[in-house]
Amino acid sequence: MIYDFLLAHAAENPVSFHMPGHKGAQFYERFGYDDFLKEVMNCDITEIVGADNLFQMEGIILATMAKYSKLYDVIDSYLLVNGSSCGLIASILACVGDYGKLIMARNCHKSVFNSLTIADCEPAYIRPEAIEEYGILGSVSPKEVEKAIRENPTADAVVVVSPNYYGICSDIEAIAEVVHKYNKILIVDQAHGAHLKFFSRFAAEFGYPKAAEDQGADLVINSIHKTLGSFTQTAILNVCSDRVDERVLEDKLQVMESTSPSYPLMASLDINADILFEHGEELIREWAENLEYFYEEAAKIKGLEIIRHPMLDRTKINIDMSAYDIDGNELEELLLNDGIYIELVTGNIVMAMTGIGNTREHFDRFLASLRKIASAHEYVGKEKSKKIQSHVFTRELERVLVPAEREYVHIDDAEGRICAQSIIPYPPGIPIACPGEVIDRDLIEYVKKSRAAGEKVMGMNANHQVLVGVVAPENEDMYDDYDDEDVKLHLG
Ligand SMILES: Cc1ncc(COP(=O)(O)O)c(C=O)c1O
């Protein structure tokens, strides 16, 4: 079934504005890697003599790591085969002790939340700005970071996501300055921004945000697969300072990754590095110019709004066509009719994720589809009412201990109950409720709306049930009188 689906999809000649960044075989074929594609099964080996070992690198894997540390100009680069997810968790485990405290942006990816459970550590949240005009979350301010550190002086590390899913970056330079003033470690989830280093190097005049590696972050995790040329699941963890003990980091990486790392995946990281060395400038300039062309042409389509932000990585194209009374889900559907596959829908906004493998033809097909949609619909002016409320992700939920006994209840009956399993609209993969948080009405309404729109919500089963804690009658007082100071939060 999976195989049939994939072959049928490829035969459609689709245009990909979703992950991964290579956008198909054409990218490797262009640079003479057809043999790899033909031989991929024969490349699927294990740690035979000469093949090195991901967890004791001395040969060919070490050589590929060196290519990345040179490309990113950092101390060390680790190859990851379980995505940025494993790099984020390993980084946090390496920096925060058991029962420690982690300062983290509330819009972090679920892997960061999962690290809380694994390390048994407690979060202190930083709230990113809410961009009400678009109903999405934006940057994290250095001021908020400083406030969180002052309120949580025992925290070991700070994690922020930059760029976020929509491409909005934070001022990492200023954040790093604050974090280091208090002797903490800064981990940046740059899963969506692996390309930024190369935009600064090869296309500086286009004004893209700087990479976290160049702004003082200590550990930076990049999903090479999302925007550059390697296979899905491959990523790079960059070590940019000596504040983290790399022996501990390496130990945590072997905890989090498969003991059978895939050689085709690692080879794709190696190929991507070679392509960047040899053709990086040509590819990045092509990409930047195609984007300029797209934005210029899209601006001519009446009523098509593209979100703007001073810290936006414009490789993410966020489009709003609500002026035609088309919401995000409807726009996705209309684009699909023309074979255009996008990455994410949030309320009225469709996010098209461009990558190093997108060609001018892809941008032209996208533009043609948008023009067709505009001309086939009536222009009614901007419709604000359908945008989602970003505040559901930023408001503070009451937090308590998770009782050991748990049960499934219908989402309609979950108000006031203690969340026992993260509830995660996906994408964007940001938990809307974490274990220990008390479910409120806004959350229930948001989740129901998402499901009704056909979106995925992890943590809610097919019968629309969620897992909640059961409070024994003799413990009810404890939950009524919950006091932040008295109860050690357990995010289990
Ligand atoms: C912001 C963010 N961070 C981290 C990740 C995890 O990356 P990966 O899929 O490479 O594990 C994602 C995945 O979509 C993400 O959106």
Side-chain angles (χ1 to χ4, degrees), residues 22 93 127 135 272 393 395 409:
H22 56 66
L93 295 182
R127 315 257 150 206
N272 173 70
F393 287 101
R395 76 214 192 291
V409 296

Side-chain angles (χ1 to χ4, degrees), residues 440-455:
D440 69 359
R441 183 50 46 192
D442 279 355
L443 183 153
I444 292 170
E445 293 309 323
Y446 181 88
V447 165
K448 284 173 65 179
K449 240 192 197 166
S450 301
R451 284 302 288 155
E455 289 163 20

Side-chain angles (χ1 to χ4, degrees), residues 19 82-85 88 109 161 165 189 191-192 223 225-226 426 428:
M19 300 178 229
N82 296 50
S84 282
S85 301
L88 281 161
H109 182 252
V161 49
Y165 219 133
D189 172 359
H192 286 279
S223 289
H225 71 93
K226 289 195 199 299
Y426 213 99

